[in-house]
Amino acid sequence: MNAKVAKLINEQINKEFYSAYLYLEFANYYGAEGLDGFENWYRVQAQEERDHAMLFYQYLQNNNEKVTFEAIAKPECELTDHMAPLKAALKHEQYVTSLINTIYAAAYEEKDFRTMQLLDWFVKEQGEEEKTASDLITKMELYGSDSKGLYMLNSELAARTYAAPSLVL
Ligand code: MG
């Protein structure tokens, strides 16, 4: 594998674990606020991010590339109110999309079709992540300022269950 592509994928492992850490921080915040549905939502989201990290890890392993684990940064976010994590999540997912696109561009440059095929799944996944994050902001804007509305939204988010990723390596 091209060294630059391998390096970017290795870095992405760390970024996905950071995403998991960030979403756990959100879960932690909502848990302390008594919003157990929101807490559940972000705990499941953190699990998905760990899955993303493990997919990249497995991909490098499968291609005989050395994996190097670096320190995972402290989550950087100011959780000032119930809306703040939702907006931070959308911003973060847009950032992750840009990271996936950068790896894709490097793979494209190297005619690394195998990596491009792997990344096709992540490109689609990022589209879904951004839509989900954006929809959640809309729902919060519509219902979040009303206590009954917030209770209903919290109940909706409590129903989210973890599902393993559809991509198998
Ligand atoms: Mg991810």
Side-chain angles (χ1 to χ4, degrees):
M1 193 186 295
N2 172 265
K4 189 187 170 191
V5 174
K7 184 171 177 282
L8 286 171
I9 293 174
N10 193 94
E11 285 170 6
Q12 193 62 29
I13 294 173
N14 186 279
K15 310 256 190 195
E16 298 291 345
F17 277 124
Y18 174 79
S19 297
Y21 229 37
L22 183 69
Y23 291 140
L24 268 184
E25 179 81 344
F26 294 175
N28 184 36
Y29 163 77
Y30 283 122
E33 291 288 310
L35 289 167
D36 55 351
F38 286 76
E39 195 272 343
N40 170 68
W41 176 272
Y42 279 111
R43 196 151 29 84
V44 172
Q45 189 63 36
Q47 179 63 52
E48 280 198 3
E49 300 305 339
R50 285 193 289 274
D51 288 341
H52 296 163
M54 293 309 292
L55 285 166
F56 284 121
Y57 165 81
Q58 187 66 55
Y59 183 72
L60 288 183
Q61 287 272 353
N62 288 356
N63 287 278
N64 292 314
E65 290 290 339
K66 189 173 176 290
V67 174
T68 306
F69 293 122
E70 304 290 350
I72 301 163
K74 183 181 184 340
E76 285 296 337
C77 46
E78 283 202 51
L79 306 179
T80 48
D81 57 38
H82 295 158
M83 179 63 100
L86 308 183
K87 293 205 163 158
L90 176 60
K91 209 169 148 225
H92 184 69
E93 287 304 330
Q94 288 165 341
Y95 167 64
V96 173
T97 297
S98 78
L99 296 173
I100 297 295
N101 288 347
T102 298
I103 308 172
Y104 205 111
Y108 180 82
E109 182 104 343
E110 293 301 322
K111 295 190 169 60
D112 181 349
F113 302 115
R114 188 186 298 161
T115 297
M116 285 161 66
Q117 197 175 48
L118 169 83
L119 292 174
D120 281 338
W121 185 87
F122 281 93
V123 169
K124 188 162 178 285
E125 174 75 9
Q126 281 313 119
E128 289 168 9
E129 298 281 34
E130 284 189 38
K131 184 184 184 313
T132 305
S134 177
D135 288 351
L136 207 43
I137 292 170
T138 303
K139 284 183 182 178
M140 193 63 158
E141 282 169 349
L142 284 169
Y143 313 120
S145 58
D146 169 72
S147 62
K148 288 193 192 71
L150 184 62
Y151 182 83
M152 292 297 286
L153 187 51
N154 185 65
S155 301
E156 183 188 323
L157 298 184
R160 184 183 186 183
T161 54
Y162 168 72
S166 57
L167 177 66
V168 179
L169 295 181

